[in-house]
Amino acid sequence: MSGDDAPAQQQNAEETKQENKPSEEPKAESKPESPPVSSTEAAATPATEKVPEEEQFTYRSLVLSGYGGYDKVKLQVKKGKPALKAGEVMVRVKACGLNFADLLARQGLYDRLPSPPVTPGMECSGEIEAVGEEVTDRKVGDKVLVLNRCGLWQEVAVVPATHTFLIPEGMTFEEAAALPVNYITAYMMLFDFGNLRPNQSILIHSAAGGVGIAATQLCQTVKDVTVFGTASASKHETISQGGVTHCIDYRTRDYVEEVRKISPKGLDIVLDPLGGSDTHKAYNLLKPMGKLITYGAANMLAGQKKNLLAVAKTWYHQFSIHTLSLIQNNKSVCGFHLGYLDGEVEVILQAMTTILDLYRQGKIKPRIDSTYHLEQVGDAMRRMQERNNIGKVILITEPMPEEEKKEEKKEDKKKEDKKKDDKKKDDSKKEDKKEEKKEEPKNEEKNEVKKEEKKEEPKKEEK
Amino acid sequence: MSGDDAPAQQQNAEETKQENKPSEEPKAESKPESPPVSSTEAAATPATEKVPEEEQFTYRSLVLSGYGGYDKVKLQVKKGKPALKAGEVMVRVKACGLNFADLLARQGLYDRLPSPPVTPGMECSGEIEAVGEEVTDRKVGDKVLVLNRCGLWQEVAVVPATHTFLIPEGMTFEEAAALPVNYITAYMMLFDFGNLRPNQSILIHSAAGGVGIAATQLCQTVKDVTVFGTASASKHETISQGGVTHCIDYRTRDYVEEVRKISPKGLDIVLDPLGGSDTHKAYNLLKPMGKLITYGAANMLAGQKKNLLAVAKTWYHQFSIHTLSLIQNNKSVCGFHLGYLDGEVEVILQAMTTILDLYRQGKIKPRIDSTYHLEQVGDAMRRMQERNNIGKVILITEPMPEEEKKEEKKEDKKKEDKKKDDKKKDDSKKEDKKEEKKEEPKNEEKNEVKKEEKKEEPKKEEK
């Protein structure tokens, strides 16, 4: 696991600077929605001896303290047992999923996350620890996965019972945390907007990402679907085994040309998480009756912090379509984002039920790329943002063993000077792209995949 | 049947003016695609005695002579037997369907019709009279319905065999001619783009029109679909019997309000044949995961001739959407027009096969509003353009009985002076809307439905 930037253990110093509250000391949070009940299992530091039980209750929580780089997500300890409202349950969280929206949110580019300080996290899994009034279909001890607007990257989460789904027999907590966002997104896009049917063809960008893997698996449930998938070359073997028919290395090839070579008439569906000029390409790749389903603007993300140039460029090139063109081309353009589907409990329940059935039938299985402790959230985010993952990046709430912590600290110390340099660079507001190039040497101790991709990165960013 | 404007019998004078070729005299057409084989059945005038058999072959054909009003579609007699290319068949046409695109085409607003002079007509039914080489699945005598880009409003049509579909047992030629355009359009919109499923809700504009009736019937094949349908009040009983759950008189009510009263959360699908500001309303009426399917710009049609103001207004208000808005709303915007789906033989075959199966099962049945002779094409177009039809307007190739012709001529004579007045008005290029108001008194001898609607018309046009 890479860790040259902002692992949570290093936060104390920074936090002191910003808030004068070291992260390892319990903080009494007064937010009405977030806090929880009673357990000592995971509290990092003991509360004072004679306070009431409710106040002894502490739990670790990741908090976005302000918009910016990886170090803006800090591990804090919250104190106090939350009162459950009617219809709510309290979940002892075991694992959390990372999503692209979390990366955008950290940079202030995702309007569904309330303003900082706030706990991010749209999905997790765990056990129900308490149920509020009027909750009839959940009980203490139930293993559930949770989908929520935010607030799930912490050891204890309080959510409406309707946002929880029972975990099927045999599913690990990591798998469960990897399921909701990616699979519901892929499912709704393919089978609601996309209306995917046998013999059709589809382009899946970032086929090695969470949604990409989920979409590829779901495509296998329909007969004879041809899947074009983009990913860097090092990931091709894995995604090919996962069901991608034609793997395209978008870093060295023009994916439009590659698709046209094989499917001159174009495609039935394009899933577009990129935005900007890639949406135009997607539209042009559609055959008549084709569906473009756009579900993100990953092109806006170019570097650790908000890159105004990338945002402006993506926005400037953002696709806008006139209905008369749609008519003359017999095409469909759809937008999807689960984060904006809050109120649609029925829709989500239906999709989730089908997805869990498919899991039980062995037709889908989340692919876990890597697992990080809460303390390592910076590394986890970096892995995703730098597109080094194949499948899902997971956070686990289990505290980091002391040996590991020591080891990381040693490494951190070694890198501290470099880190300070980085900070200076950050402050001087150079373009993130350039920064990353300079940081490259530091990544040498990382795994091979990462190295390979870093070298190609400038290509990607030019796209 | 109304007939104060340009019935085909009156054309001689005008045609002489324009082309010096009276319509009732056979014309040798040199167009390679249109002409046909041998029969005397329907030829209006005999060819000279001793010409070769090929040249004796004549057939009546409607020809758009230039863009403009109803009188621009003229009945001519074509001469000469067409050579069939490989893969083609010659059809002795019995009945033809009228579509909204034909009305737009006459005004020069539909780019899929080649420049005049040209024979319009996208659908017809009839019997195969000759088959070209390489045609293996059609034989002389087969009863077929035909879907083609144009050229079907004539007694004899030559088309690729793949554009013909065998008519099921018991289906009349009128029904067969009413089927392809409206039902394929409705089918593709509902079940491909729309992905209609049980318990969903839909708004069908012009629910008494050809596509409206077809869509309503197809909605009945899915469990518990709530259909909102707009139509003038006089048509409500009929469309309600046809399956519309909530009828809305768009001339006296705000349809958005009416829908919101019953479905506050909005709709799953809106079919939009109107364009302009109605497309915006449609988009706003969608609930999350909703689909707007736009398939026309009927709002551009305001009067007999091209109304630049209406065109400009419709174009100005034409809906344009940014993908980021689609993402934040979880919505889909689709455009459909069968006329642009030319090359998609497989797609159309599949839809047509399903539609014919549904007919055999008694689940759908085209509703014929009225039947006109080729000579009455002006009246037929007017009926549709003035939205007096409930269901399909059909042209039949059977020559008009002599008595009927005489009767019409008498009436025409009575109206001739008025007609000349109209022509002057036309020439002075006043707004069509005003013209129609002035013409209103002439419609008094028409059927009740028509009268009722005419009174309300100004309202519609203000929309």
Side-chain angles (χ1 to χ4, degrees):
Chain A
M1 280 172 205
S2 65
D4 50 65
D5 195 18
Q9 304 98 300
Q10 296 186 312
Q11 284 175 191
N12 288 4
E14 284 168 45
E15 227 175 24
T16 312
K17 263 187 268 160
Q18 289 186 15
E19 295 173 277
N20 275 326
K21 282 175 190 164
S23 72
E24 309 240 330
E25 216 169 278
K27 287 173 58 176
E29 295 267 334
S30 60
K31 270 186 232 156
E33 340 84 0
S34 40
V37 184
S38 141
S39 149
T40 51
E41 175 192 335
T45 45
T48 31
E49 300 286 292
K50 285 187 178 175
V51 289
E53 193 212 354
E54 313 266 309
E55 283 181 35
Q56 277 179 35
F57 187 96
T58 64
Y59 58 102
R60 296 180 311 145
S61 169
L62 289 170
V63 176
L64 178 68
S65 59
Y67 301 129
Y70 304 129
D71 60 350
K72 292 296 183 190
V73 183
K74 299 174 194 306
L75 187 63
Q76 300 182 346
V77 177
K78 289 185 182 172
K79 189 175 153 187
K81 189 176 172 180
L84 289 184
K85 279 182 271 185
E88 288 183 337
V89 296
M90 196 178 72
V91 178
R92 175 64 55 178
V93 177
K94 303 293 185 188
C96 316
L98 244 77
N99 288 292
F100 231 82
D102 298 318
L103 305 183
L104 287 166
R106 199 197 64 235
Q107 298 195 356
L109 293 171
Y110 179 55
D111 62 4
R112 297 300 283 167
L113 188 75
S115 303
V118 63
T119 293
M122 299 158 67
E123 59 189 349
C124 75
S125 59
E127 269 183 39
I128 293 198
E129 197 162 278
V131 297
E133 279 172 32
E134 293 171 27
V135 175
T136 54
D137 53 353
R138 295 289 178 270
K139 59 182 191 306
V140 172
D142 277 351
K143 291 177 180 180
V144 291
L145 56 84
V146 184
L147 181 70
N148 210 43
R149 185 166 150 191
C150 64
L152 302 185
W153 286 0
Q154 49 188 349
E155 288 176 335
V156 169
V158 173
V159 295
T162 52
H163 292 197
T164 67
F165 305 87
L166 295 174
I167 295 179
E169 197 79 26
M171 185 186 273
T172 66
F173 281 122
E174 283 82 358
E175 284 179 340
L179 208 75
V181 172
N182 291 164
Y183 282 81
I184 293 178
T185 298
Y187 180 85
M188 296 301 285
M189 291 198 298
L190 293 178
F191 299 115
D192 192 323
F193 282 148
N195 199 3
L196 178 68
R197 283 152 299 162
N199 300 308
Q200 291 194 323
S201 56
I202 182 170
L203 170 61
I204 300 177
H205 282 290
S206 307
V211 173
I213 299 260
T216 304
Q217 288 181 5
L218 287 169
C219 282
Q220 313 305 308
T221 67
V222 178
K223 219 180 142 213
D224 297 328
V225 171
T226 302
V227 179
F228 292 83
T230 69
S232 54
S234 60
K235 301 177 181 177
H236 285 193
E237 197 183 331
T238 311
I239 63 171
S240 169
Q241 283 164 1
V244 173
T245 326
H246 305 287
C247 303
I248 303 171
D249 182 1
Y250 65 94
R251 300 181 192 229
T252 59
R253 304 273 176 158
D254 177 339
Y255 67 83
V256 172
E257 272 178 30
E258 296 299 305
V259 170
R260 286 278 177 208
K261 266 186 218 164
I262 297 162
S263 274
K265 284 190 70 180
L267 303 170
D268 294 294
I269 301 176
V270 179
L271 303 186
D272 164 41
L274 303 172
S277 57
D278 287 295
T279 313
H280 295 256
K281 293 180 186 173
Y283 185 76
N284 291 327
L285 268 178
L286 294 179
K287 60 165 80 153
M289 297 311 295
K291 288 132 196 123
L292 159 60
I293 306 162
T294 182
Y295 66 106
N299 285 339
M300 278 193 190
L301 263 193
Q304 199 191 133
K305 291 190 186 175
K306 183 151 80 181
N307 179 330
L308 281 177
L309 185 67
V311 172
K313 214 167 128 188
T314 308
W315 184 265
Y316 179 78
H317 288 295
Q318 198 65 13
F319 189 65
S320 171
I321 184 83
H322 200 280
T323 45
L324 288 185
S325 312
L326 288 172
I327 290 176
Q328 293 187 338
N329 291 293
N330 284 300
K331 290 181 181 179
S332 159
V333 177
C334 322
F336 184 82
H337 200 293
L338 189 55
Y340 298 95
L341 213 58
D342 261 21
E344 302 305 306
V345 178
E346 258 313 304
V347 171
I348 289 170
L349 175 64
Q350 223 174 319
M352 203 64 230
T353 305
T354 310
I355 290 163
L356 293 174
D357 278 348
L358 289 170
Y359 178 88
R360 282 190 202 93
Q361 294 161 28
K363 291 186 177 165
I364 58 166
K365 187 175 177 65
R367 186 183 198 284
I368 309 301
D369 168 73
S370 47
T371 306
Y372 293 81
H373 295 282
L374 290 183
E375 293 90 334
Q376 300 166 305
V377 63
D379 298 338
M381 289 190 294
R382 175 189 289 275
R383 181 158 180 85
M384 199 168 170
Q385 182 155 338
E386 294 184 352
R387 298 164 204 232
N388 293 325
N389 56 311
I390 307 184
K392 194 75 179 179
V393 178
I394 291 289
L395 294 173
I396 49 171
T397 54
E398 185 189 297
M400 207 171 171
E402 283 305 316
E403 317 80 87
E404 263 185 59
K405 275 191 194 174
K406 277 178 203 159
E407 220 159 275
E408 284 218 357
K409 268 184 183 163
K410 250 190 266 169
E411 229 166 67
D412 294 337
K413 212 162 190 179
K414 272 202 297 184
K415 288 177 203 158
E416 214 153 70
D417 297 335
K418 270 187 189 175
K419 209 178 133 59
K420 275 176 193 162
D421 282 358
D422 286 355
K423 267 213 91 59
K424 275 182 210 157
K425 276 180 228 157
D426 264 30
D427 293 342
S428 69
K429 308 228 169 185
K430 283 187 188 168
E431 236 181 81
D432 283 336
K433 200 169 136 186
K434 287 177 195 160
E435 276 174 54
E436 277 176 42
K437 274 189 201 165
K438 284 185 191 158
E439 282 176 27
E440 233 169 292
K442 291 187 298 171
N443 291 329
E444 276 169 7
E445 61 272 274
K446 289 177 197 171
N447 62 55
E448 257 190 34
V449 178
K450 204 156 187 172
K451 265 197 280 177
E452 247 184 87
E453 282 161 13
K454 285 292 281 188
K455 279 179 204 154
E456 300 281 3
E457 195 141 22
K459 242 194 177 123
K460 163 68 193 160
E461 305 222 342
E462 277 155 25
K463 210 174 51 174
Chain B
M1 280 170 207
S2 63
D4 49 66
D5 196 18
Q9 304 99 299
Q10 296 185 309
Q11 284 176 191
N12 288 5
E14 284 168 43
E15 226 173 23
T16 312
K17 263 186 268 160
Q18 290 186 12
E19 294 173 277
N20 274 326
K21 283 175 190 165
S23 72
E24 310 241 331
E25 217 169 278
K27 288 172 57 174
E29 296 265 334
S30 59
K31 270 185 231 154
E33 340 83 358
S34 41
V37 185
S38 141
S39 150
T40 50
E41 174 190 336
T45 45
T48 31
E49 300 285 296
K50 283 187 178 176
V51 289
E53 193 210 353
E54 312 266 310
E55 283 182 35
Q56 276 179 38
F57 189 94
T58 63
Y59 58 102
R60 295 181 310 146
S61 170
L62 288 171
V63 175
L64 179 68
S65 59
Y67 301 130
Y70 304 128
D71 60 349
K72 293 295 183 190
V73 182
K74 298 174 195 304
L75 186 63
Q76 299 182 348
V77 176
K78 289 184 182 172
K79 190 176 154 186
K81 190 176 172 181
L84 289 184
K85 278 182 274 185
E88 287 183 338
V89 296
M90 195 179 73
V91 178
R92 175 64 55 178
V93 177
K94 303 291 186 189
C96 316
L98 244 77
N99 288 292
F100 231 82
D102 298 318
L103 305 183
L104 287 166
R106 200 196 63 236
Q107 299 194 356
L109 293 171
Y110 180 55
D111 62 4
R112 296 301 283 166
L113 189 74
S115 303
V118 63
T119 294
M122 300 158 66
E123 59 189 347
C124 75
S125 59
E127 270 184 38
I128 293 199
E129 196 162 278
V131 298
E133 279 173 31
E134 294 172 25
V135 175
T136 54
D137 54 352
R138 295 288 179 271
K139 60 182 191 306
V140 173
D142 277 351
K143 291 177 181 180
V144 292
L145 56 84
V146 185
L147 182 69
N148 210 43
R149 185 166 150 191
C150 64
L152 302 185
W153 286 359
Q154 48 188 352
E155 287 175 334
V156 168
V158 173
V159 295
T162 52
H163 292 198
T164 67
F165 305 86
L166 294 175
I167 295 180
E169 196 80 26
M171 185 187 273
T172 66
F173 281 121
E174 283 81 359
E175 284 179 339
L179 209 75
V181 172
N182 291 164
Y183 281 81
I184 294 178
T185 298
Y187 180 85
M188 297 300 285
M189 293 198 296
L190 293 178
F191 298 116
D192 193 324
F193 283 148
N195 198 5
L196 177 68
R197 282 153 301 162
N199 300 308
Q200 291 194 322
S201 55
I202 183 170
L203 171 61
I204 300 177
H205 282 289
S206 308
V211 173
I213 299 260
T216 304
Q217 288 180 4
L218 287 169
C219 283
Q220 313 306 307
T221 66
V222 179
K223 219 180 141 214
D224 297 329
V225 171
T226 302
V227 178
F228 292 82
T230 69
S232 55
S234 59
K235 301 177 181 177
H236 284 193
E237 197 183 330
T238 310
I239 63 171
S240 169
Q241 283 163 3
V244 173
T245 326
H246 304 287
C247 303
I248 302 170
D249 181 2
Y250 65 94
R251 300 181 192 229
T252 57
R253 304 274 176 155
D254 176 340
Y255 68 82
V256 172
E257 272 178 31
E258 296 299 305
V259 170
R260 285 279 177 207
K261 265 187 221 164
I262 296 161
S263 274
K265 283 190 71 181
L267 303 170
D268 294 294
I269 301 176
V270 179
L271 304 186
D272 163 42
L274 303 172
S277 58
D278 287 294
T279 313
H280 295 255
K281 292 181 187 171
Y283 185 75
N284 292 328
L285 268 178
L286 294 178
K287 59 165 81 156
M289 298 309 296
K291 288 131 195 125
L292 159 60
I293 306 161
T294 180
Y295 65 106
N299 284 339
M300 277 192 191
L301 263 193
Q304 198 191 134
K305 293 192 185 174
K306 184 150 79 180
N307 180 330
L308 282 178
L309 185 67
V311 172
K313 213 167 130 188
T314 307
W315 184 265
Y316 180 78
H317 288 296
Q318 198 65 13
F319 190 65
S320 170
I321 183 83
H322 200 280
T323 45
L324 289 184
S325 312
L326 288 172
I327 291 176
Q328 294 188 338
N329 290 293
N330 285 300
K331 290 182 180 178
S332 160
V333 177
C334 322
F336 184 83
H337 200 292
L338 189 55
Y340 298 95
L341 214 58
D342 261 21
E344 303 305 306
V345 178
E346 258 313 303
V347 171
I348 289 170
L349 175 64
Q350 223 173 321
M352 203 65 229
T353 306
T354 310
I355 289 163
L356 293 175
D357 277 348
L358 289 171
Y359 178 87
R360 282 189 202 93
Q361 295 161 28
K363 290 186 177 165
I364 58 166
K365 187 175 177 66
R367 186 183 199 283
I368 310 300
D369 168 74
S370 47
T371 307
Y372 293 81
H373 294 282
L374 291 183
E375 292 89 336
Q376 301 165 306
V377 63
D379 298 338
M381 289 189 293
R382 176 190 289 275
R383 180 156 180 87
M384 198 168 170
Q385 182 154 338
E386 294 183 351
R387 296 163 206 233
N388 293 326
N389 56 311
I390 306 184
K392 194 76 179 178
V393 177
I394 292 288
L395 293 173
I396 48 171
T397 54
E398 185 189 299
M400 207 168 169
E402 283 306 316
E403 315 81 83
E404 263 185 57
K405 276 190 193 174
K406 276 178 203 159
E407 221 159 272
E408 284 218 358
K409 268 185 183 161
K410 250 190 265 169
E411 230 166 65
D412 293 337
K413 212 163 191 179
K414 272 202 297 185
K415 289 179 202 158
E416 213 153 69
D417 297 335
K418 269 188 188 173
K419 211 176 133 55
K420 275 175 192 165
D421 282 357
D422 285 355
K423 269 213 90 64
K424 274 181 210 159
K425 277 180 228 156
D426 264 30
D427 293 343
S428 68
K429 309 229 170 185
K430 283 190 188 166
E431 235 183 80
D432 284 335
K433 200 169 137 188
K434 285 177 197 159
E435 277 175 53
E436 277 176 43
K437 274 188 201 166
K438 282 184 193 162
E439 281 176 29
E440 231 169 292
K442 292 187 299 173
N443 290 328
E444 276 167 8
E445 62 270 279
K446 290 177 195 170
N447 63 55
E448 257 191 33
V449 178
K450 205 158 188 172
K451 268 196 279 177
E452 247 183 88
E453 281 160 15
K454 287 290 283 188
K455 280 179 203 153
E456 300 280 4
E457 196 142 21
K459 247 202 171 115
K460 163 69 192 160
E461 306 221 342
E462 279 155 23
K463 211 173 55 173

